[in-house]
Amino acid sequence: MITQSNFSLSGSDGKLIIGDITFDEKNPNTPIILFVHGFKGFKDWGAHNLVARYFASNGYRYVKFNLSHSGVPVDDPKDVTDMEAFASNTVSKELFDLNAVLDFIEQAYGTGTKVNLIGHSRGGGLSIIEAANDLRINKLITWSAIADFNSLWKKEQEAEWKKTGKIFVTNARTKEQMPLNITLLEDLQENAAALNIIDAAKRINIPWLIIHGDDDVNVPIETAQTLAEANPGSRLVKIEGANHVYGASQPYTNETLPPLLFKVCEKVLTFLNEE
């Protein structure tokens, strides 16, 4: 029987990370997949729970979590509504959180436990940096990954950002204006070398599957090609006709995975099961 258990940890700035683990009760000692959501995303967005069930029913323990400054409140984790937390997020805070979850997995399942990392969009960028530096990562899978954290806003916004201390990005789904504090830009500038995704990509020396839709208007397919060129050992799989979220939506009310996302999951499963 597929079941889900919940956990919470202390994340960046002491804010809580909430997460869940989906697994088959009949087969508890299974390899681990850790999923990292993207910018404006969260662990229960769209079809993420169906993806978790897919991998749990195919022999994996699937861990996903909300980054502490994702803007999703702990007491009502249905959407990004805590704009104060969202505004004060930085990439360094997200990496702190990802390491906290990896530490939790290590404590819960032992130091020998290898983790297969899946990152979507900005979570893909985070995962590339983590995989370049963390020996606990067994295999890396990126979905619609960015190649530069600065790509999430327009370059011309930066002058206003430095002047006012804040810019706004539009949530395409809700049309809400979402604030970003200057601390995000400052973090990227102060830690430019450590947070350079392409440089990290060049250092990945574990199996890496790059998945991207050729109809992605958020992060163009050329970004995936740039990542693949940075690391000749990686494998690029193009999903024809797929958008940034492979046909999922929020809310997602179907009981089965969108066909293109199901195809993504099949490609990932094949890759994970390779020796």
Side-chain angles (χ1 to χ4, degrees), residues 246-258:
Y246 308 97
S249 58
Q250 172 63 21
Y252 186 80
T253 53
N254 290 9
E255 290 178 13
T256 54
L257 282 162

Side-chain angles (χ1 to χ4, degrees), residues 25-232:
E25 286 180 335
K26 299 197 300 287
N27 191 15
N29 299 316
T30 51
I32 286 171
I33 297 171
L34 174 59
F35 175 75
V36 187
H37 69 76
F39 187 50
K40 307 178 203 168
F42 48 100
K43 71 179 180 68
D44 299 310
W45 190 97
H48 288 339
N49 285 303
L50 290 175
V51 170
R53 292 185 70 85
Y54 171 89
F55 285 107
S57 62
N58 281 286
Y60 287 84
R61 186 178 291 269
Y62 197 90
V63 182
K64 55 188 173 66
F65 66 102
N66 287 340
L67 291 157
S68 64
H69 289 71
S70 62
V72 179
V74 172
D75 54 355
D76 188 25
K78 298 188 193 73
D79 213 336
V80 181
T81 54
D82 182 352
M83 291 304 155
E84 190 179 336
F86 182 86
S88 63
N89 196 13
T90 67
V91 177
S92 292
K93 287 178 182 178
E94 293 189 333
L95 284 168
F96 180 97
D97 291 347
L98 178 49
N99 270 285
V101 177
L102 283 161
D103 290 346
F104 162 76
I105 290 170
E106 191 173 27
Q107 287 157 10
Y109 302 107
T111 51
T113 303
K114 292 286 190 180
V115 178
N116 302 294
L117 195 57
I118 299 179
H120 176 249
S121 194
R122 178 153 125 179
L126 283 179
S127 298
I128 291 165
I129 288 173
E130 190 64 38
N133 298 304
D134 196 323
L135 295 174
R136 293 174 292 188
I137 310 303
N138 181 47
K139 291 185 178 182
L140 172 66
I141 302 102
T142 53
W143 297 352
S144 321
I146 61 170
D148 184 348
F149 291 110
N150 293 300
S151 64
L152 297 165
W153 54 83
K154 297 181 177 69
K155 182 72 179 164
E156 56 266 26
Q157 288 179 287
E158 290 185 10
E160 174 204 344
W161 208 354
K162 287 171 181 170
K163 197 165 104 183
T164 65
K166 191 172 286 191
I167 58 165
F168 293 86
V169 291
T170 306
N171 185 326
R173 176 169 52 87
T174 63
K175 304 297 180 262
E176 187 170 8
Q177 292 297 300
M178 307 173 79
L180 297 173
N181 293 345
I182 190 66
T183 44
L184 174 56
L185 185 62
E186 289 169 346
D187 176 50
L188 288 171
Q189 291 174 342
E190 287 164 16
N191 301 291
L195 301 180
N196 186 307
I197 297 170
I198 295 296
D199 282 357
K202 292 173 183 172
R203 302 200 314 274
I204 301 285
N205 59 4
I206 55 172
W208 177 12
L209 180 65
I210 299 169
I211 294 183
H212 217 103
D214 68 356
D215 197 25
D216 189 337
V217 297
N218 302 81
V219 181
I221 185 75
E222 289 76 19
T223 304
Q225 289 157 348
T226 300
L227 290 169
E229 284 162 13
N231 190 306

Side-chain angles (χ1 to χ4, degrees), residues 3-20:
T3 189
Q4 193 177 75
S5 62
N6 299 314
F7 66 88
S8 63
L9 309 168
S10 180
S12 181
D13 293 348
K15 284 187 77 67
L16 268 187
I17 296 167
I18 58 164
D20 53 59

